[in-house]
Amino acid sequence: MSTSTPQSTDAASPSAAFDGLRVVSLESRRAAEMERLITKRGGVALVSPSMREAPIADDRPAIEFAHRLVAGEVDAVVLLTGVGVRMFVERTERHVGRQRLLDALADVPTLARGPKPVAVLREFGLKPTHRAPAPNTWREVLSTIDAQMPVANLTVGVQEYGETNPSLLAGLEARGATVDRLQVYEWALPEDTAPLEANARRLAEGEVDVVMLTSANQLNNLLVVADKLGLGDRVRDGFRRACVVSIGPTTSERLRALDLPVDIESTGAMGKMVADAAAGAAAVLGRKQQLGALLDAAKPARPGQPTARVGEPTTSVAGASQRAAELRDAVAGQPWADSDFLRACRREPVERTPVWLMRQAGRYMPEYREVRARVSFLELCKNPALCSEVMCTAVDYLGVDAAIIFSDLLPILEPMGLELEFAKGDGPKIHNPVRGADDVDRVIDLSSVDSLWFVVETVRQTRRDLPEHLPLIGFAGAPFTLASYAIEGGGSRNYLHTRTLMQRDEGAWGELMRRFARAAALYLNAQIAAGAQAVQLFDSWVGCLGPADYRRYVLPYTRELIDALDPAAAVIHFGAGNPELLPLVAEAGGDVIGVDWRIDLAAAWDRLDASRPEGGVAVQGNLDPMTLLAPRETVQTRVRELLRSVAGRPGHVFNLGHGIVPQTPPENARALVEAVHAFSGQQAEGRRQ
């Protein structure tokens, strides 16, 4: 399972130091040790105990569980905490007898979540049957059960960790178990909350550089105290400014569920966590400052364009001449201002038709395959230097007129609470798909791009590495395509789950689409601020819809996104799969409308111009990607035919109708670019004579 968290430093330097950074820790039981570790690394230690285990007032449920265990009515027991094991024995032994209770535990299979329940069992002379490995989350518990302790048709007792873990219980029930819950304590605030309140105030005032959490419940209690002080929102902002260090996946999940960042995730002992924090905090804080400066410098959204709402008619886009002037002014004086690509986006005459190719850095190139042999796809996407390298290599080889950042549509889903994995051979998988209104509520409304820093840095790095005259394109998935991935959980032939939610619960659908529209706008504006001259909005799956459904369920939200974008960048809007949607795609917005190969480009352009009578539209496309599998002479012939069909109309960006397929010979892709340049140059020369 991938995460959007930067990797912990597995071998943090022994000399790594905080160098005076102010470090908040909410550790309770080992507060003194945590303070010593932070101070030893050069940090200003601000340790405030945040919670305590408070015994459940009513012993009867635990006593009844003990009787069922002794009577043989419980077939297996999962022990999650050492404190819980000790409390269970101490609070029930006088009712059933200590030895009878321990003998009953010894007679059934037991699974200990980590070292603490193992240690307490050892004190009682017991040894667990199974032990879940690090990082000791509910996932490892279930994996151990799958491998070593089948539970189908068994009653499984679960000694809970201060509060119920719904994911663990659901996982057990999905495996055929009947769950018998045992809760002997709950998490409470410390008896003295003054230190915790002091740290809440420090966070609210921006006086904290690093926050370290060794339990999700520490976060819960801090926010309870902050809300009581009337500082809830300011404390959350303090988290976003600071470097947030999490002890492992469960704590990270809680942070993300509250739309709070996870900057470093360190699994293992407390000492390693402090070492990882000391090694990585300065870089995280520097990155956050840079991102903040970029976004503060970003221009406001397009003025005077009201956002369409569901059920309201959409308004026409700004006049083409006005928009062209706006784009021209935004890049005045820049090396790329008069590039053929940006001139085409403004529907101005060009020296030759500009060309770039979707997936121009991809599996068809041997250099890319060499990189992928060393790193996974997500590891590549999260390595800005490598992303720049593979794109610049492709640009140099092909000779295209624009570069698009190397990334993927889906990493934006991770900080929104969706569990994304790129499974080898299977493509992207979402392990917690959205299927109903209740699921929509857990999709986080993205409020910052901190967790997507690697994409912003990829824009900056690629912009630095490209020839200065060459424009750079950023991109994101459109709301419908992001929603479809989130709902289907991966690829789909008929989009059954997506269209079911869309038709059955328009309120939930609208809320989900708005969240993706806001997130994508934030994401694209960050890319523009980092150095992208244009952005492409990919609606790769929208072709499954007809025009009526597109107008009702898609257009308003896509329009909302485009209206929220920084007007300095040209917007390419590419909706694939159904040419009947093209006029509506144009109505949703975009300076350039991408056209796939399923329609004649000239006919598509005529329809698009008719949909914008106030000034027409630029187009991008639309050679069938499979053409590149043909002999080179055929590629050249098809290029000439397509260019003749549009007769040199201003505003054409040559591209494929979709991405390059992996089987494409690289030399054919380069031959396409050369043919576009040669023939369109001849056309332009003929028009000048």
Side-chain angles (χ1 to χ4, degrees):
M1 182 69 60
S2 64
T3 73
S4 57
T5 308
Q7 297 294 313
S8 69
T9 50
D10 291 334
S13 168
S15 60
F18 287 115
D19 290 329
L21 294 177
R22 298 160 296 184
V23 183
V24 160
S25 168
L26 305 181
E27 179 60 29
S28 295
R29 284 195 294 263
R30 302 169 66 186
E33 181 183 353
M34 178 63 85
E35 183 170 357
R36 180 182 60 79
L37 289 168
I38 294 169
T39 303
K40 184 178 179 181
R41 292 275 178 174
V44 177
L46 305 169
V47 181
S48 57
S50 59
M51 62 185 193
R52 59 186 174 90
E53 295 97 347
I56 299 292
D58 185 358
D59 283 343
R60 284 176 299 176
I63 295 167
E64 291 168 0
F65 179 92
H67 280 296
R68 290 194 296 275
L69 179 64
V70 169
E73 297 174 11
V74 177
D75 302 304
V77 180
V78 176
L79 303 169
L80 298 183
T81 68
V83 171
V85 173
R86 180 176 285 108
M87 281 191 180
F88 171 54
V89 173
E90 291 175 350
R91 302 190 71 183
T92 61
E93 60 183 351
R94 67 188 181 89
H95 298 278
V96 297
R98 171 178 283 218
Q99 196 56 49
R100 287 184 68 206
L101 183 61
L102 296 181
D103 289 344
L105 273 175
D107 287 342
V108 299
T110 50
L111 192 160
R113 184 181 64 92
K116 293 177 182 178
V118 172
V120 173
L121 287 172
R122 188 182 301 118
E123 293 174 15
F124 293 133
L126 300 177
K127 182 178 179 181
T129 315
H130 307 287
R131 179 173 171 176
N136 313 126
T137 73
W138 60 270
R139 291 186 179 85
E140 284 73 43
V141 170
L142 292 177
S143 296
T144 304
I145 285 171
D146 290 339
Q148 303 176 28
M149 196 176 88
V151 294
N153 302 314
L154 300 182
T155 297
V156 178
V158 178
Q159 175 264 306
E160 296 188 315
Y161 184 59
E163 63 180 6
T164 298
N165 183 326
S167 298
L168 175 59
L169 301 192
L172 289 168
E173 289 170 352
R175 288 159 174 79
T178 299
V179 177
D180 192 347
R181 294 171 48 215
L182 168 64
Q183 186 175 14
V184 293
Y185 69 92
E186 60 188 358
W187 297 115
L189 288 170
E191 293 179 351
D192 179 9
T193 61
L196 191 59
E197 292 172 4
N199 271 340
R201 292 189 177 94
R202 291 184 183 106
L203 278 161
E205 295 298 326
E207 297 173 353
V208 174
D209 302 305
V210 181
V211 183
M212 295 200 300
L213 298 166
T214 55
S215 164
N217 297 290
Q218 296 172 354
L219 175 64
N220 295 344
N221 284 0
L222 173 66
L223 295 178
V224 166
V225 167
D227 288 339
K228 286 182 178 177
L229 295 173
L231 299 174
D233 289 342
R234 292 173 61 193
V235 166
R236 289 169 174 82
D237 288 341
F239 267 87
R240 296 182 183 108
R241 288 190 296 267
C243 171
V244 180
V245 186
S246 162
I247 193 63
T250 301
T251 303
S252 298
E253 286 176 6
R254 184 65 57 86
L255 283 159
R256 293 191 186 100
L258 295 169
D259 194 19
L260 296 175
V262 181
D263 299 305
I264 297 173
E265 184 178 281
S266 176
T267 56
M270 200 162 67
K272 181 178 182 297
M273 179 186 189
V274 175
D276 287 345
V284 169
L285 292 171
R287 187 174 71 232
K288 289 194 175 190
Q289 291 169 0
Q290 291 176 348
L291 285 173
L294 278 173
L295 296 177
D296 287 345
K299 296 178 182 177
R302 292 174 171 78
Q305 291 192 18
T307 299
R309 306 296 180 191
V310 176
E312 297 178 6
T314 56
T315 58
S316 64
V317 298
S321 58
Q322 175 187 340
R323 177 60 182 146
E326 187 176 39
L327 285 172
R328 195 179 307 114
D329 292 344
V331 296
Q334 299 295 336
W336 47 75
D338 283 321
S339 65
D340 281 337
F341 171 76
L342 289 180
R343 289 182 65 86
C345 292
R346 302 191 296 258
R347 301 185 73 247
E348 296 173 352
V350 294
E351 291 295 319
R352 59 188 188 184
T353 299
V355 54
W356 69 278
L357 306 174
M358 287 180 273
R359 295 199 195 122
Q360 61 191 21
R363 285 181 289 169
Y364 77 103
M365 295 194 71
E367 296 87 349
Y368 174 83
R369 294 195 296 272
E370 289 175 9
V371 171
R372 284 284 284 107
R374 305 194 305 269
V375 297
S376 71
F377 180 70
L378 266 183
E379 287 171 338
L380 172 56
C381 287
K382 295 179 181 183
N383 187 322
L386 275 182
C387 288
S388 176
E389 177 187 321
V390 297
M391 180 51 64
C392 290
T393 298
V395 167
D396 291 344
Y397 176 78
L398 296 172
V400 289
D401 297 292
I404 187 167
I405 63 166
F406 185 89
S407 187
D408 191 79
L409 298 181
L410 301 186
I412 192 174
L413 298 181
E414 289 187 306
M416 299 184 75
L418 294 154
E419 298 177 6
L420 171 65
E421 179 185 16
F422 282 86
K424 188 173 182 179
D426 293 329
K429 297 290 183 185
I430 305 295
H431 290 279
N432 56 339
V434 174
R435 294 289 164 82
D438 291 344
D439 295 327
V440 172
D441 291 338
R442 62 174 166 78
V443 175
I444 296 167
D445 207 346
L446 201 64
S447 62
S448 79
V449 292
D450 286 354
S451 53
L452 295 165
W453 66 271
F454 50 89
V455 178
V456 178
E457 183 56 31
T458 291
V459 176
R460 289 160 56 89
Q461 183 70 50
T462 309
R463 179 65 275 167
R464 287 193 295 266
D465 294 344
L466 283 173
E468 65 175 10
H469 70 280
L470 205 71
L472 178 62
I473 305 167
F475 72 89
F480 179 84
T481 291
L482 293 176
S484 297
Y485 269 111
I487 296 168
E488 301 295 334
S492 175
R493 293 182 179 275
N494 55 21
Y495 308 96
L496 173 66
H497 298 297
T498 301
R499 300 183 74 176
T500 298
L501 179 62
M502 186 177 76
Q503 301 283 356
R504 288 185 178 175
D505 194 334
E506 191 166 352
W509 172 260
E511 179 57 31
L512 184 64
M513 290 287 280
R514 288 187 192 94
R515 292 187 189 196
F516 283 128
R518 289 191 291 265
L522 180 70
Y523 184 47
L524 288 175
N525 279 333
Q527 294 180 41
I528 296 167
Q533 285 70 59
V535 291
Q536 176 152 318
L537 194 61
F538 283 89
D539 219 345
S540 309
W541 287 7
V542 78
C544 71
L545 299 181
D549 280 348
Y550 182 93
R551 178 176 290 282
R552 182 176 185 88
Y553 299 111
V554 179
L555 191 153
Y557 311 105
T558 304
R559 170 84 179 220
E560 179 180 332
L561 188 167
I562 293 173
D563 284 352
L565 295 180
D566 185 331
V571 178
I572 306 167
H573 185 183
F574 178 54
N578 183 357
E580 290 301 311
L581 300 181
L582 281 171
L584 294 170
V585 170
E587 187 176 339
D591 303 299
V592 183
I593 302 302
V595 181
D596 74 12
W597 73 94
R598 296 175 177 89
I599 184 173
D600 176 80
L601 184 60
W605 206 341
D606 289 342
R607 292 184 67 184
L608 288 166
D609 277 350
S611 72
R612 289 194 183 174
E614 73 283 357
V617 64
V619 300
Q620 177 177 280
N622 76 331
L623 189 70
D624 186 340
M626 296 302 168
T627 303
L628 293 181
L629 303 179
R632 193 173 312 175
E633 296 75 15
T634 302
V635 174
Q636 294 165 339
T637 298
R638 298 286 172 79
V639 166
R640 288 194 294 269
E641 290 172 352
L642 194 153
L643 288 171
R644 284 196 192 100
S645 75
V646 295
R649 292 162 70 170
H652 179 210
V653 176
F654 196 105
N655 208 314
L656 301 175
H658 214 284
I660 297 178
V661 299
Q663 296 80 10
T664 298
E667 58 272 17
N668 279 13
R670 183 162 64 178
L672 179 151
V673 175
E674 292 170 348
V676 171
H677 285 160
F679 189 72
S680 64
Q682 294 171 10
Q683 287 180 307
E685 182 63 29
R687 289 191 295 272
R688 286 192 291 268
Q689 292 177 353

